[in-house]
């Protein structure tokens, strides 16, 4: 694909070569994300960061990624603080905001809303999550993490064995991740969820058509016994009709150190897009895993900055100029490794 000036709305836009390109650029962003170097390549550029659903990681990570490239961030969070609460349409908001910004990131509870917004936008729009539909930057950072974690064990994504656990119906991160995995070969995917929260059939079909082995089950311990990656997800309470309905599924698939030791292969990597629900009735990834070196959840979040820097650099066509506008940092740097 041609990245320059493009919206990033769905992982379906990418071919395998595009994914590799994003990862190569993300690798090159490490000195900046680690604060060894600073670059001013996007000096003067403005990111409009519009988050109409709760977000910590994605919003701040997009913002930091833009700042690390030298750009400025303006943002609005929630409907209450935006003119959408006064009845303004996505079309009008997009026309106006795109006149103020060089690129826009947007999260919105409605499926397809970010694409609708992008149609009216005069600048590239990056999807930060549209309802239960897609979360492309998260899937890219997840796959980037998988590549890095397995790479250190001399393995690649082809032939990957992965278990996706939890709310696979409403979890947009796993929808996008499964679609991305279709570009690779011989992937063994185990989908672990309550039947009512199963992965949409169209995505299962897509994976099977890509030649992947897909197993659908409710059995957690058996599923995690022979995988490279155990990827847990949160019950997406905000997409249920009521809290009580979500409560029926919360805490169904808990992973803790003793289950890990008993059932997983020694080097199984644990992932989660975060936030993990750490309340007692959920506790999908127990805190006793925090010392487990294979818990990759915080490395995942770190990697998100690299991947989002890469997306900005590609969409705004500055990949080749990042180093030209760079210098060493002045301050004491406590971030040594990622
Ligand atoms: C995810 C999301 O918003 O879809 N969070 C994130 O962006 N890292 C997952 C979730 O909220 O459960």
């Amino acid at each position: 694909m041609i990245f320059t000036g493009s919206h990033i709305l769905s992982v379906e836009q990418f071919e395998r070569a595009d994914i590799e390109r994003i990862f190569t650029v993300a690798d090159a962003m490490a000195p900046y994300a680690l604060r060894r170097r600073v670059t001013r390549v996007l000096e003067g550029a403005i990111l409009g960061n519009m988050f109409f659903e709760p977000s910590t990681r994605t919003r701040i990570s997009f913002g930091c990624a833009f700042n690390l490239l030298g750009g400025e961030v303006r943002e609005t969070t929630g409907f209450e603080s935006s003119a959408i609460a006064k009845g303004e349409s996505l079309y009008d908001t997009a026309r106006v905001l795109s006149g103020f910004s060089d690129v826009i990131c947007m999260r919105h509870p409605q499926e397809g809303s970010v694409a609708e917004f992008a149609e009216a936008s005069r600048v590239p729009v990056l999807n930060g999550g549209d309802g239960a539909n897609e979360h492309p930057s998260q899937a890219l950072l997840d796959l980037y993490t998988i590549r890095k974690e397995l790479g250190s064990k001399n393995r690649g994504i082809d032939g990957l064995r992965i278990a996706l656990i939890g709310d696979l119906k409403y979890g947009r991160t796993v929808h996008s991740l499964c679609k991305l995995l279709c570009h690779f070969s011989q992937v063994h995917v185990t989908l672990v969820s309550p039947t009512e929260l199963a992965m949409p059939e169209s995505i299962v079909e897509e994976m099977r058509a890509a030649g992947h082995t897909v197993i659908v089950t409710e059995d957690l311990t058996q599923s995690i016994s022979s995988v490279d990656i155990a990827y847990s997800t949160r019950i997406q309470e905000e997409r249920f009709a009521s809290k009580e309905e979500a409560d029926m599924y919360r805490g169904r698939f808990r992973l803790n150190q003793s289950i890990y030791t008993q059932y997983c292969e020694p080097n199984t990597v644990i992932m989660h897009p975060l936030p993990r629900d750490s309340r007692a009735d959920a506790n999908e990834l127990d805190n006793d895993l925090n010392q487990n070196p294979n818990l990759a959840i915080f490395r995942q979040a770190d990697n998100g900055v690299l991947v989002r820097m890469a997306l900005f650099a590609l969409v705004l066509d500055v990949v080749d100029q990042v180093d030209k506008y760079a210098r060493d940092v002045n301050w004491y740097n406590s971030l040594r490794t990622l």
Side-chain angles (χ1 to χ4, degrees), residues 43-61:
E43 187 161 26
I46 293 177
L47 164 68
N49 218 10
M50 305 176 59
F51 276 71
F52 297 112
E53 269 193 328
S55 171
T56 304
R57 252 154 307 275
T58 307
R59 181 171 63 85
I60 307 289
S61 159

Side-chain angles (χ1 to χ4, degrees), residues 41-168:
V41 70
L42 288 186
E43 187 161 26
I46 293 177
L47 164 68
N49 218 10
M50 305 176 59
F51 276 71
F52 297 112
E53 269 193 328
S55 171
T56 304
R57 252 154 307 275
T58 307
R59 181 171 63 85
I60 307 289
S61 159
F62 268 125
C64 286
F66 207 74
N67 287 150
L68 286 166
L69 289 167
E72 302 254 351
V73 183
R74 290 285 173 271
E75 60 185 16
T76 177
T77 53
F79 286 110
E80 322 72 51
S81 55
S82 130
I84 289 184
K86 298 181 182 175
E88 187 168 58
S89 65
L90 281 176
Y91 178 90
D92 287 5
T93 311
R95 290 291 298 177
V96 173
L97 261 291
S98 59
F100 301 166
S101 324
D102 296 275
V103 58
I104 291 176
C105 294
M106 180 171 166
R107 169 174 287 187
H108 192 285
Q110 228 172 299
E111 295 188 19
S113 54
V114 182
E116 184 189 333
F117 181 93
E119 263 180 52
S121 170
R122 293 169 282 169
V123 300
V125 175
L126 277 54
N127 183 358
D130 61 323
N133 185 34
E134 277 228 32
H135 196 341
S137 65
Q138 178 71 42
L140 285 166
L141 78 87
D142 288 342
L143 198 62
Y144 182 73
T145 303
I146 293 170
R147 168 185 173 266
K148 240 181 179 171
E149 297 286 325
L150 296 190
S152 63
K153 301 175 181 92
N154 285 325
R155 302 263 327 263
I157 301 169
D158 295 314
L160 170 74
R161 302 166 304 156
I162 184 168
L164 301 172
I165 304 154
D167 183 349
L168 308 183

Side-chain angles (χ1 to χ4, degrees), residues 241-261:
S242 68
K243 181 180 174 301
E244 289 67 38
E245 196 191 338
D247 285 344
M248 286 164 37
Y249 305 107
R250 220 190 300 278
R252 185 82 71 89
F253 302 113
R254 294 163 193 252
L255 187 53
N256 60 26
Q257 187 55 46
S258 101
I259 295 174
Y260 183 92
T261 310

Side-chain angles (χ1 to χ4, degrees), residues 51 53-59 107 128-132 134-135 137-138 141-142 170-174 231-239 272-277 284 300-301 308:
F51 276 71
E53 269 193 328
S55 171
T56 304
R57 252 154 307 275
T58 307
R59 181 171 63 85
R107 169 174 287 187
D130 61 323
E134 277 228 32
H135 196 341
S137 65
Q138 178 71 42
L141 78 87
D142 288 342
Y170 295 119
R172 55 194 169 197
T173 75
V174 285
Y231 184 113
S232 171
T233 64
R234 179 180 66 86
I235 299 297
Q236 306 284 293
E237 180 179 324
E238 61 276 34
R239 316 242 178 267
H272 192 299
L274 301 179
R276 59 176 155 169
D277 188 342
E284 52 225 8
Q300 241 175 302
R308 291 179 174 118

Side-chain angles (χ1 to χ4, degrees), residues 172-188:
R172 55 194 169 197
T173 75
V174 285
H175 297 167
S176 293
L177 181 56
C178 285
K179 291 180 192 176
L180 274 188
L181 285 174
C182 291
H183 291 293
F184 295 81
S185 58
Q186 310 264 321
V187 179
H188 298 258

